[in-house]
Amino acid sequence: MNIYRYEQNPLITPADVKPHREGFEVIGAFNAGVAEYKGETILLLRVAERPVSPDPNIVLAPVYDPEKQDLELVEIRLDDESYDFSDPRVIVKKTDAPAFEYLTSLSYLRIARSKDGRHFAIDDEPFIYPSNSLEIFGIEDPRISQIGDTYYIYFSAVSPVGIGEAMVSTKDFRTWTHHGLIFGPDNKDVIIFPECINGKYYALHRPTTKSVGRPEIWIAESDNLLYWGNHKHLIGLREGMWDSGRIGGGAVPIRTERGWLELYHGATKDHRYCMGAVLLDLNDPTQVIARSGKPVMEPEADYETKGFFGDVVFSCGATVHGDVVRMYYGVADTSMACAELSLKEILESLEPAEQPAR
Amino acid sequence: MNIYRYEQNPLITPADVKPHREGFEVIGAFNAGVAEYKGETILLLRVAERPVSPDPNIVLAPVYDPEKQDLELVEIRLDDESYDFSDPRVIVKKTDAPAFEYLTSLSYLRIARSKDGRHFAIDDEPFIYPSNSLEIFGIEDPRISQIGDTYYIYFSAVSPVGIGEAMVSTKDFRTWTHHGLIFGPDNKDVIIFPECINGKYYALHRPTTKSVGRPEIWIAESDNLLYWGNHKHLIGLREGMWDSGRIGGGAVPIRTERGWLELYHGATKDHRYCMGAVLLDLNDPTQVIARSGKPVMEPEADYETKGFFGDVVFSCGATVHGDVVRMYYGVADTSMACAELSLKEILESLEPAEQPAR
């Protein structure tokens, strides 16, 4: 597989993003949704901001208050032994582990625009900020599906009652309409197909289950993009392979002659995130045709292996022109990068899949 | 609260149900969905059948094979130290706890019919049996919503990829149509309102979350009963009370002058299951009006406190005529019982609720 990482990588780092609030630092500008709008490439960045604690013994957890429409900062002492601080992203009450009690940063969505796809100008203000009780810990990892002249933007909505998937829509990347949670908790990595297939919309989604089951990719159908049903399990983890720990949809599926090509992420049990691909039937995307035996792309460059949460390449969107796939991807839960791949080479690298009984 | 437990309780026990398969024993006939059809009360029983192991050192786990359309029995040695057998309902691989690997019994749905609501005749054959890959560990805890002349029957569909909620519909309790999973995993205790409210259908549901959140009641909307969205968190656990451990919908909501009355189950952290009630706005069931401070009904009778899984009253349906609520309920994960309650008394027992910000 030939991978052309841009010389400008990482394209956007936290240092490029001015904090939206005083007293905060930007620790991540990553996992961006991707769209093309009026001749420009738009990266809808997940920006993670962390409150700077004036006391080294206290960590501040940011929580959006939907009544006051403002952030509240919860103080937790680092010597409080009822908490586990070992994962820098979350604050875990030991009695509730592995569930978390607070996040250490709050994520929201901010637009970066580019004429050439390499040099981006970042908006001064957030585009989408938490706005209701289901988003009080932040909104994360957006994807964008363009259907006609409407851009559907959907993202993880995080709150103390769970992580679900919320959706907004826009026609101009200036104003937007909120459509509520389209998938209830625990769910993330929703990917809506960019067109109707035999009269139905389809979406990939990634439930996180507790009673039984693993973090794997499901598919659902809809007739209005707001209500979803007929959930089916699509692909699972593969023991001993690059996607043995968890998987989830990545970019919006790409229509090819051979099928819908989905670039998805897979991680090992020790959290090394790679990108691979799965090919789904053009007329019935619940049918799997082929899948990556090896990753399409692995964390190798310095900016991919080192950072806030290293050894991660995580794409939420790509653009395609002819054979060239420009895969934008978050690196190390920190920054954004881009690599060009050949659509033909990705398709040729896939191995035929065996479909389980339904 | 005046509670009239029927003298005939328990109305149906495992001993009343002939095993559907040779070599199996019925260990549960409980958590039945309830409907009225052609002047009869129908209990759609969850029947749990367990394969009888010829070897006391081996436990047999029943698994439906959708290709062969038959059961397979997996043998596991009781001295295999990689498994935990302490919960009699499940077989847990210690490395995957608390997720389970197999169930020790397989549940399916069987009809019991009665003219007087007390004496039931049980069909010889299953009405609904697992039929696809999402139901291979069984189908559990049905509810029935009658809308017009159609009965929508929905239940937990259990398989190695998760527990979701599947739906079938029938007009005659003879033949049925399968509509797939209406809620993806982990989800159970779905309760569909019996009529459209301002042009929308509503359902309660109970996600089980892993990352963050607790087993609490959510509400979703639909325009066709198959696809669901606009998920909102409805009511949560209450520390120190009868519903501090887990809650979930019970019977189909009852339309009253004061609002939709939902009989729901609540358990403490040590798994004592009671029934209580919540009152929802007639025109907007996402709004909570009032809720039980104390349980409407607690496990007290012998058949409620003792059994396969004791200290459980768990209702999946009720009939209402005038002021009389006939609440049918599973007891001790074993049998079925019925109690009559006064609708007026339940309503008067509720305490006004404070609605959180949205």
Side-chain angles (χ1 to χ4, degrees):
Chain A
M1 188 82 55
N2 290 300
I3 298 174
Y4 164 39
R5 288 173 165 86
Y6 284 175
E7 301 80 11
Q8 293 84 357
N9 279 353
L11 302 180
I12 299 170
T13 73
D16 301 324
V17 184
K18 212 168 53 187
H20 157 57
R21 289 178 67 97
E22 222 172 304
F24 280 65
E25 58 184 342
V26 172
I27 60 165
F30 62 122
N31 297 3
V34 180
E36 293 178 288
Y37 175 68
K38 289 198 174 172
E40 290 189 325
T41 301
I42 286 190
L43 294 186
L44 185 56
L45 299 166
R46 168 181 172 188
V47 173
E49 289 192 7
R50 182 167 63 186
V52 179
S53 177
D55 180 341
N57 299 312
I58 285 176
V59 59
L60 299 173
V63 181
Y64 178 78
D65 182 329
E67 280 192 64
K68 293 185 191 152
Q69 299 183 26
D70 199 2
L71 283 191
E72 185 195 347
L73 299 180
V74 178
E75 295 190 1
I76 296 176
R77 290 195 60 86
L78 283 165
D79 58 8
D80 184 338
E81 293 195 347
S82 60
Y83 289 101
D84 176 353
F85 302 97
S86 60
D87 181 335
R89 301 169 299 180
V90 293
I91 300 168
V92 173
K93 197 174 238 176
K94 286 175 186 170
T95 52
D96 291 340
F100 63 80
E101 178 96 353
Y102 294 106
L103 300 183
T104 53
S105 65
L106 183 126
S107 290
Y108 62 87
L109 310 182
R110 200 149 148 183
I111 293 173
R113 303 164 198 265
S114 173
K115 296 259 183 247
D116 66 2
R118 295 174 183 236
H119 301 86
F120 284 85
I122 301 163
D123 281 8
D124 283 336
E125 293 295 319
F127 177 48
I128 306 172
Y129 201 79
S131 62
N132 62 57
S133 64
L134 298 174
E135 301 174 347
I136 74 174
F137 285 160
I139 56 179
E140 304 180 351
D141 301 350
R143 275 80 170 186
I144 307 173
S145 295
Q146 181 183 356
I147 300 178
D149 65 349
T150 303
Y151 295 82
Y152 294 91
I153 302 168
Y154 38 97
F155 43 81
S156 300
V158 188
S159 82
V161 294
I163 302 176
E165 189 85 3
M167 185 167 81
V168 308
S169 63
T170 184
K171 286 178 189 285
D172 57 12
F173 287 95
R174 288 171 178 277
T175 60
W176 46 268
T177 308
H178 205 303
H179 302 289
L181 274 201
I182 56 172
F183 287 84
D186 267 352
N187 213 312
K188 47 171 62 176
D189 298 326
V190 171
I191 315 287
I192 297 177
F193 285 67
E195 58 187 82
C196 258
I197 300 165
N198 295 320
K200 287 175 190 163
Y201 295 104
Y202 286 87
L204 308 176
H205 61 102
R206 214 294 301 282
T208 302
T209 61
K210 186 176 183 178
S211 325
V212 61
R214 295 178 164 78
E216 300 180 330
I217 299 179
W218 289 62
I219 187 164
E221 60 183 56
S222 173
D223 57 9
N224 68 359
L225 298 168
L226 304 176
Y227 305 148
W228 294 89
N230 202 9
H231 302 271
K232 293 178 179 170
H233 181 261
L234 186 70
I235 58 170
L237 304 181
R238 295 180 298 184
E239 204 57 46
M241 293 177 71
W242 62 278
D243 48 5
S244 58
R246 53 180 57 231
I247 53 176
V252 172
I254 300 163
R255 182 189 248 291
T256 77
E257 283 180 10
R258 292 188 46 205
W260 290 104
L261 182 71
E262 168 62 14
L263 297 166
Y264 73 94
H265 66 263
T268 54
K269 288 191 177 68
D270 54 349
H271 312 298
R272 183 172 188 262
Y273 279 77
C274 296
M275 293 300 301
V278 62
L279 191 68
L280 307 175
D281 188 276
L282 271 188
N283 291 306
D284 178 5
T286 70
Q287 300 301 313
V288 179
I289 298 172
R291 189 170 168 186
S292 295
K294 289 178 183 169
V296 166
M297 188 174 180
E298 308 181 57
E300 288 171 332
D302 242 30
Y303 49 83
E304 295 162 356
T305 57
K306 292 171 191 161
F308 184 64
F309 199 82
D311 263 338
V312 173
V313 294
F314 189 99
S315 177
C316 297
T319 64
V320 184
H321 294 278
D323 185 54
V324 179
V325 178
R326 277 186 177 175
M327 187 173 75
Y328 291 91
Y329 59 103
V331 292
D333 275 13
T334 307
S335 301
M336 282 302 297
C338 184
E340 288 187 2
L341 298 103
S342 154
L343 193 54
K344 188 159 164 284
E345 280 186 28
I346 298 174
L347 288 170
E348 283 169 356
S349 74
L350 303 181
E351 299 170 2
E354 221 178 296
Q355 186 75 342
R358 282 284 152 70
Chain B
M1 187 82 56
N2 290 300
I3 298 176
Y4 164 37
R5 287 172 166 89
Y6 283 176
E7 301 79 12
Q8 293 84 356
N9 279 352
L11 303 180
I12 298 170
T13 72
D16 302 324
V17 184
K18 211 168 55 186
H20 158 58
R21 289 178 68 98
E22 223 172 305
F24 280 65
E25 58 183 343
V26 173
I27 58 164
F30 62 123
N31 297 2
V34 180
E36 292 177 288
Y37 174 68
K38 290 197 174 171
E40 290 189 323
T41 302
I42 286 190
L43 293 187
L44 185 56
L45 298 166
R46 168 181 172 189
V47 173
E49 288 192 8
R50 182 166 64 185
V52 179
S53 177
D55 181 341
N57 299 312
I58 285 176
V59 60
L60 299 173
V63 181
Y64 178 78
D65 182 329
E67 279 191 64
K68 295 185 191 151
Q69 299 183 27
D70 199 2
L71 283 192
E72 184 195 349
L73 299 181
V74 179
E75 295 190 0
I76 297 175
R77 291 195 60 86
L78 282 165
D79 58 6
D80 185 337
E81 293 195 346
S82 59
Y83 289 100
D84 177 353
F85 301 97
S86 60
D87 182 335
R89 301 169 299 179
V90 294
I91 300 168
V92 174
K93 197 173 236 176
K94 287 176 184 168
T95 51
D96 292 339
F100 63 81
E101 179 96 352
Y102 294 107
L103 300 184
T104 53
S105 65
L106 182 126
S107 292
Y108 62 86
L109 311 183
R110 200 149 148 184
I111 293 175
R113 303 165 199 264
S114 174
K115 296 258 184 248
D116 65 1
R118 294 175 184 234
H119 301 87
F120 284 86
I122 301 164
D123 281 8
D124 281 337
E125 293 295 317
F127 178 49
I128 306 171
Y129 201 79
S131 62
N132 62 57
S133 65
L134 299 175
E135 301 173 348
I136 74 173
F137 286 160
I139 56 179
E140 305 180 351
D141 301 349
R143 275 81 169 185
I144 307 174
S145 296
Q146 181 183 355
I147 301 179
D149 64 349
T150 303
Y151 295 83
Y152 293 91
I153 301 169
Y154 38 98
F155 44 82
S156 301
V158 188
S159 83
V161 296
I163 302 177
E165 190 85 1
M167 184 166 81
V168 308
S169 63
T170 185
K171 285 179 192 285
D172 57 12
F173 286 96
R174 287 171 177 277
T175 60
W176 46 268
T177 308
H178 206 304
H179 302 290
L181 273 200
I182 56 173
F183 287 84
D186 265 356
N187 214 312
K188 48 169 62 175
D189 298 327
V190 171
I191 315 286
I192 298 178
F193 285 67
E195 57 186 85
C196 258
I197 300 165
N198 296 321
K200 286 176 191 163
Y201 296 104
Y202 286 87
L204 308 177
H205 62 102
R206 213 294 301 282
T208 302
T209 62
K210 187 174 183 178
S211 324
V212 63
R214 295 177 164 81
E216 300 180 329
I217 300 179
W218 288 61
I219 188 165
E221 60 183 56
S222 173
D223 56 9
N224 67 359
L225 297 169
L226 303 175
Y227 305 149
W228 294 89
N230 202 10
H231 302 271
K232 292 176 180 171
H233 180 262
L234 186 69
I235 57 171
L237 304 181
R238 297 180 296 185
E239 203 58 47
M241 293 176 72
W242 61 278
D243 48 4
S244 58
R246 55 179 56 231
I247 53 176
V252 172
I254 301 163
R255 182 189 248 291
T256 76
E257 282 181 10
R258 291 187 46 203
W260 290 103
L261 182 72
E262 168 61 13
L263 295 167
Y264 73 94
H265 66 264
T268 53
K269 288 191 177 70
D270 52 352
H271 312 298
R272 183 171 188 262
Y273 279 77
C274 297
M275 292 300 300
V278 61
L279 190 69
L280 307 174
D281 188 277
L282 271 187
N283 291 305
D284 177 4
T286 70
Q287 300 302 312
V288 179
I289 298 172
R291 189 171 170 186
S292 295
K294 290 179 183 168
V296 166
M297 187 173 180
E298 306 181 58
E300 286 171 332
D302 242 29
Y303 50 84
E304 295 162 357
T305 56
K306 292 170 191 161
F308 185 64
F309 199 81
D311 263 339
V312 173
V313 295
F314 188 99
S315 176
C316 294
T319 63
V320 184
H321 294 279
D323 185 53
V324 178
V325 179
R326 276 186 179 175
M327 186 172 77
Y328 291 91
Y329 59 104
V331 293
D333 274 13
T334 307
S335 302
M336 280 304 296
C338 184
E340 288 188 3
L341 299 102
S342 153
L343 193 54
K344 190 160 162 282
E345 280 186 26
I346 298 173
L347 287 170
E348 283 170 356
S349 74
L350 304 180
E351 298 169 5
E354 222 179 297
Q355 185 75 341
R358 282 282 153 72

